[in-house]
């Protein structure tokens, strides 16, 4: 049975992770301050080091737990829909479901970390690669369902399309961040929408 102390410790760790994720999104990993995270979390340095040995360990935990779980939720409506191909098109045509104000302002936290940390730290690089790979596998499997159900042409390569979708979305988010305009997202994804619509079979 979990004790009250264990529950409190778990809550403290979750609070540190949530605040650290926000700081990393706003400032980048290298510029994020442990002192600022502790101040906002209202925890002592000793409490912090009870949960995380180093700042690097905190960064890995944010990526493994907080960011992976949060950003994977973006794909859930697509992966579980009856027609994933149409759901991808709908998301691209209606980016408000995905592109909130924070994302426009600060970008995708996973992509940000890829740009900042992958050249510097193998732990970050390998974790981010695993996230993108998992996204591709799941999206590819969903698109194959569309082919099997007769909603997408059989000649299309589901793996290649999944890779293209992820690459274009991540790139378009970066462009929208640079422009600080959500309309830039739809401008740079319209060509992908046109291509995906050509893959559809309308019964």
């Amino acid at each position: 049975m979990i004790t009250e102390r264990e529950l409190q410790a778990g809550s403290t760790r979750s609070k540190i992770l949530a605040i650290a994720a926000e700081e990393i999104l706003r400032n980048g990993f290298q510029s994020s301050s442990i002192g600022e995270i502790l101040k906002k979390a209202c925890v002592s340095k000793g409490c912090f080091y009870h949960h995380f040995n180093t700042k690097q360990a905190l960064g890995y935990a944010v990526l493994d737990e907080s960011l992976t779980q949060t950003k994977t939720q973006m794909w859930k409506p697509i992966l579980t829909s009856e027609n994933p191909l149409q759901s991808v098109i709908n998301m691209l045509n209606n980016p408000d479901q995905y592109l909130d104000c924070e994302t426009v302002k600060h970008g995708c936290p996973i992509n940000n970390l890829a740009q900042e940390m992958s050249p510097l730290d193998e732990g970050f690089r390998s974790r981010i690669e695993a996230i993108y790979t998992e996204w591709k596998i799941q999206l590819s499997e969903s698109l194959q369902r569309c082919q099997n159900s007769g909603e997408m042409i059989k000649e299309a390569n589901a793996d290649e399309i999944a890779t293209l979708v992820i690459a274009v979305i991540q790139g378009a988010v970066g462009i929208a961040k640079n422009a600080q305009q959500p309309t830039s997202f739809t401008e740079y994804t319209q060509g992908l929408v046109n291509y995906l619509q050509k893959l559809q079979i309308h019964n």
Side-chain angles (χ1 to χ4, degrees):
M1 184 176 180
I2 300 175
T3 66
E4 183 66 28
R5 184 174 181 178
E6 288 171 331
L7 284 172
Q8 187 175 1
S11 176
T12 299
R13 187 177 186 279
S14 297
K15 185 196 297 186
I16 294 171
L17 282 175
I19 292 171
E22 184 175 333
E23 288 294 301
I24 291 170
L25 176 62
R26 293 175 181 274
N27 305 310
F29 176 74
Q30 295 176 91
S31 296
S32 292
S33 163
I34 294 296
E36 189 65 22
I37 292 170
L38 298 182
K39 180 180 177 182
K40 290 184 176 181
C42 299
V43 298
S44 67
K45 188 175 289 188
C47 180
F48 172 84
Y49 285 110
H50 171 72
H51 295 288
F52 307 100
N53 294 329
T54 62
K55 180 182 177 182
Q56 182 188 52
L58 172 64
Y60 290 169
V62 166
L63 193 51
D64 290 341
E65 301 171 43
S66 180
L67 295 184
T68 300
Q69 182 177 9
T70 300
K71 300 309 289 186
T72 298
Q73 289 301 309
M74 174 194 81
W75 297 103
K76 190 172 182 180
I78 293 172
L79 302 177
T80 58
S81 72
E82 293 184 1
N83 188 336
L85 178 59
Q86 184 61 55
S87 294
V88 171
I89 293 170
N90 292 343
M91 184 185 76
L92 294 171
N93 283 331
N94 302 279
D96 289 348
Q97 304 172 31
Y98 164 63
L99 211 62
D100 57 25
C101 293
E102 282 292 295
T103 304
V104 172
K105 185 174 182 180
H106 299 291
C108 169
I110 294 173
N111 195 34
N112 290 347
L113 281 171
Q115 297 296 321
E116 179 190 7
M117 297 304 299
S118 290
L120 306 176
D121 187 286
E122 175 60 22
F124 277 101
R125 191 208 64 76
S126 61
R127 284 169 168 81
I128 293 166
E129 182 179 19
I131 292 170
Y132 285 143
T133 299
E134 183 62 22
W135 286 358
K136 186 180 80 168
I137 290 171
Q138 292 184 353
L139 184 55
S140 176
E141 290 175 348
S142 296
L143 293 173
Q144 288 171 32
R145 281 199 291 110
C146 283
Q147 291 177 310
N148 295 335
S149 61
E151 294 158 336
M152 176 174 156
I153 63 173
K154 292 283 188 180
E155 296 78 10
N157 186 308
D159 284 344
E160 290 180 356
I161 296 167
T163 302
L164 177 63
V165 168
I166 293 167
V168 171
I169 287 176
Q170 290 297 88
V173 169
I175 290 170
K177 172 188 172 182
N178 180 71
Q180 290 292 290
Q181 290 288 342
T183 53
S184 294
F185 180 86
T186 50
E187 178 184 352
Y188 280 85
T189 57
Q190 189 56 55
L192 176 60
V193 170
N194 295 339
Y195 169 67
L196 295 177
Q197 288 174 335
K198 293 175 182 178
L199 302 179
Q200 291 181 299
I201 297 174
H202 299 285
N203 299 317

